[in-house]
């Protein structure tokens, strides 16, 4: 399936749009400046690559809206076309959380993801945020390409945005051996990474649809790989990155020697740069030539989840203008990069036909895109043969509830959970509560599905990762208490008052990546954070990854931990919108999805997904209504209702809890089909998912 990019948008620390940013990149300008937003005396690193403006909540959302508006304007989609928006981010509105906690800023639950920012500025109503570390925006691009290939959308807006947060900035400073003066990709004198800020957006369409409406194709997206090392939460894996390269070339239908230019991840860190360069050397070992390499972070810093898409847009511009921006601060190349011509000094004039863009993040998440100059007659091909996706196992970790079938009508009670009897003691230290809850629920679901694998710290020596098995986690609040604690420690004792072991725990994808590492799941790895619909969105995108042929199986986990900051934010949100303060949920649910196999009897089959509006109870079957705390409509007489109202404000876990409970009931023959609806919390949109039982 051939896909084309028809619109571009960008906000960087060097320009407010694509043209001004690219011109500054070509000129080799730097956005490095003294640290503006935080008290510099708390840090060793006292400069960053920042966008000018006051330190206030919502900054990444405003840049995102500007980038999306620019991309939509250039694409000129027909009136009435409402594309979904998939937004990749590493930190989301983490700085808004910090300002709420430390400065009393007005922030509520609906401010923590980007649906409101885009709805207000562009009118887009279907917005899903992937909090996927530094691979986030290219991970969103991979998910978008799956939706288009499967015919589930006519066009998709893919975007990324990130701003500095005190917790991430401080912990990165903490782990550097000494404070870096600038970002020095692949240079022997590199010390570490420095964060930057920015946003980017593209409009992605099927080539035939774009041609039919007379749209100008700016570039052809040949393929996007999305994988996970399943190795270590902070250290990259050479073979894992190599696997992502190979997958990208295969999806794109190209050989390594066909690539003219690589936009490297190039963070300027000691380990990451060496590993990326070694993996590039492996990929091109048998190729007759080496592509040019450049690294945008040397100019604008590490823009976290937005970085991949910012590099991709720069690659599109380089193809059109025949100019490749230089890599600053690269004067003494490390040994494994020496065979590659790194663009340094001035911009290079070059005809770029095919480009590769790399993005790698915490937890070993990898995304690699291959794009080329648009062809007047692009190759055509059928989309993937979509298989049925079935549920084969469920598991829950909720106080006092033994299994998913017991969720309906229940209220969590009893002693706090203890992960040791299920997981053992080794490897649990430094893991946050959300991760431990998720590991427990996942262990139960995998066991129920008959898919138990070597797990925990001893796995690496016994079992390689399964690249046909991926992970999606849905959560809204998993990081909140950790971020608040870390920023308190920073304010009390500066960088030295923090623990380097907290670094992965302030990255939004920590639970998903830890699940992959624990169980050896090397396929696509995503974290969805989109409010109360997150769980159903996670299941939708997990199923799409299976139907698109990325993987055969997906582990989907919804998790929300309780904590003092969580309860306080729930109270502030209820006060802002009116109504009683809901009880906090504390737990996790897990569901195993697989491509249908006649040799395995499923618990249920996933059917339609919908975001068309307010919920309507079905005329028959089992109905899972939205959270009762926010005015869900009463079911009509004769409709069986899946009542999860007693669980508390489950937010990102709610949809997975619904599906786990419904699948158990369908498997037992209590119903033949079910309609599950989540959302509506304080005026938010709804999403619905249909399940069919095995006897239907």
């Amino acid at each position: 399936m051939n896909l084309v990019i028809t619109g571009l948008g960008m906000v960087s620390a060097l320009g407010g749009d694509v043209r001004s940013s690219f011109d500054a990149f070509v000129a080799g300008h730097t956005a490095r400046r003294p640290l503006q937003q935080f008290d510099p005396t708390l840090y060793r690193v006292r400069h960053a690559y920042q966008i000018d403006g006051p330190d206030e909540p919502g900054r990444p959302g405003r840049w995102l809206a500007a980038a999306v508006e620019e991309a939509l304007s250039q694409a000129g989609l027909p009136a009435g076309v409402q594309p979904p928006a998939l937004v990749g981010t590493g930190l989301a509105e983490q700085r808004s959380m910090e300002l709420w906690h430390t400065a009393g800023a007005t922030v509520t639950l609906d401010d923590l993801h980007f649906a409101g920012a885009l709805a207000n500025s562009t009118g887009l109503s279907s917005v899903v945020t992937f909090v996927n570390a530094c691979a986030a925006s290219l991970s969103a691009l991979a998910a978008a390409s799956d939706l288009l290939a499967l015919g589930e959308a006519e066009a998709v807006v893919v975007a990324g945005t990130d701003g500095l947060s005190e917790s991430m900035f401080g912990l990165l400073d903490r782990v550097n051996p000494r404070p870096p003066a600038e970002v020095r990709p692949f240079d022997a004198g590199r010390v570490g990474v420095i964060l930057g800020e920015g946003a980017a957006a593209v409009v992605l369409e099927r080539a035939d649809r774009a041609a039919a409406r007379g749209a100008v194709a700016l570039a052809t997206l040949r393929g996007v790989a999305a994988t996970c090392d399943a190795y270590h939460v902070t250290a990259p894996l050479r073979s894992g990155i190599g696997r992502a390269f190979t997958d990208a070339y295969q999806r794109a239908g190209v050989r390594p020697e066909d690539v003219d230019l690589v936009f490297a991840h190039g963070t300027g860190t000691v380990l990451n740069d060496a590993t990326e360069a070694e993996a590039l050397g492996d990929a091109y070992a048998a190729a007759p030539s080496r592509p040019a390499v450049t690294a945008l972070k040397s100019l604008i810093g590490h823009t976290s989840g937005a970085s991949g898409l910012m590099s991709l847009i720069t690659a599109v511009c380089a193809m059109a203008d025949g100019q490749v921006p230089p890599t600053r601060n690269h004067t003494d190349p490390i040994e494994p990069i020496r065979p590659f011509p790194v663009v340094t000094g001035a911009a290079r004039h070059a005809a770029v036909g095919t480009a590769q863009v790399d993005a790698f993040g915490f937890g070993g998440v990898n995304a690699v895109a291959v794009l080329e100059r648009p062809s007047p007659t692009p190759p055509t091909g059928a989309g993937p043969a979509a298989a049925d996706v079935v549920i084969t196992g469920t598991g829950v970790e909720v106080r006092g509830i033994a299994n998913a079938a017991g969720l309906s009508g229940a209220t969590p009670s009893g002693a706090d959970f203890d992960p040791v009897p299920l997981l053992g003691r080794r490897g649990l230290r430094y893991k946050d509560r959300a991760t431990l809850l998720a590991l427990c629920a996942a262990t139960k679901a995998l066991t129920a599905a008959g898919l138990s694998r070597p797990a925990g710290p001893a796995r690496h020596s016994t079992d390689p990762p399964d690249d046909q098995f991926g992970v999606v986690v849905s959560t809204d609040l998993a990081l909140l208490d950790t971020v608040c604690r870390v920023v308190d420690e920073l304010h009390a004792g500066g960088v030295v008052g923090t623990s380097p072991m907290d670094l992965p725990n302030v990255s939004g994808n920590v639970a998903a990546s830890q699940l992959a590492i624990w169980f050896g799941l090397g396929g696509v790895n995503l974290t969805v954070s989109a409010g109360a619909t997150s769980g159903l969105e996670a299941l939708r995108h997990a199923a799409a990854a299976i139907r698109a042929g990325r993987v055969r199986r997906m582990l989907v986990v919804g998790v929300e931990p309780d904590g003092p900051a969580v309860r306080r934010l729930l109270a502030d949100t209820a006060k802002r919108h009116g109504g009683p303060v809901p009880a906090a949920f504390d737990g996790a649910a897990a569901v195993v999805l697989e491509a249908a196999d006649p040799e395995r009897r499923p618990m249920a089959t996933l059917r339609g997904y919908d975001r068309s509006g307010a919920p309507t109870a079905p005329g028959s079957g089992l109905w899972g209504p939205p959270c009762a705390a926010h005015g869900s409509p009463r079911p009509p007489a004769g409709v069986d209702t899946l009542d999860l109202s007693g669980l508390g404000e489950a937010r990102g876990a709610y949809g997975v809890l619904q599906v786990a409970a419904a699948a158990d009931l369908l498997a037992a023959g209590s119903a033949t089909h079910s309609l599950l609806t989540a959302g509506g919390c304080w005026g938010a949109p709804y999403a619905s998912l249909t399940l069919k039982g095995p006897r239907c």
Side-chain angles (χ1 to χ4, degrees), residues 24-61:
F25 300 163
V26 168
H29 293 165
T30 177
R32 179 185 176 276
R33 62 194 67 169
L35 190 61
Q36 298 172 351
Q37 294 163 340
F38 315 141
D39 177 1
T41 64
L42 300 177
Y43 306 92
R44 300 178 306 159
V45 176
R46 298 186 178 182
H47 42 268
Y49 299 78
Q50 300 151 97
I51 294 175
D52 287 333
D55 184 19
E56 59 187 11
R59 296 171 77 238

Side-chain angles (χ1 to χ4, degrees), residues 444-473:
K444 295 173 184 177
L446 290 168
T447 300
L451 297 171
S452 296
R453 296 172 50 79
R459 182 192 61 79
H460 296 303
S461 61
T462 60
D463 197 26
D466 183 349
D467 61 5
Q468 287 296 298
F469 207 148
V471 178
V472 183
V473 167

Side-chain angles (χ1 to χ4, degrees), residues 608-622:
Y609 166 89
D610 181 65
R611 280 186 67 112
S612 61
T616 302
S620 62
L622 179 68

